Amino acid sequence: MEKELFNDLLSSINEMVAIEKGEMAVNPENVHHHAIPDVKSIRKTLPSLNMRRKAG
């Protein structure tokens, strides 16, 4: 691994640890939240999956 790439990765790791410890604040525009999908309801709405389940 190139030394520059290694140093960049190490810097990112140290930044992540500081954020986790609360020593460093994160800009709100850099925080992303993703909704967890309701897999059961998705499966119910997809007829191709229901047909495979009944056949097998």
Side-chain angles (χ1 to χ4, degrees):
M1 181 182 298
E2 293 181 26
K3 189 169 185 159
E4 183 180 347
L5 176 60
F6 177 78
N7 289 336
D8 189 36
L9 290 171
L10 187 59
S11 173
S12 296
I13 291 169
N14 290 331
E15 184 177 332
M16 177 193 66
V17 171
I19 291 168
E20 287 289 322
K21 289 182 175 181
E23 299 170 353
M24 183 179 202
V26 180
N27 293 332
E29 63 266 10
N30 293 333
V31 177
H32 305 282
H33 298 281
H34 302 280
I36 299 173
D38 183 2
V39 177
K40 285 186 178 184
S41 69
I42 293 171
R43 286 182 180 155
K44 287 179 183 176
T45 60
L46 297 174
S48 62
L49 289 177
N50 290 331
M51 294 298 278
R52 283 189 213 150
R53 195 177 304 144
K54 290 177 184 175

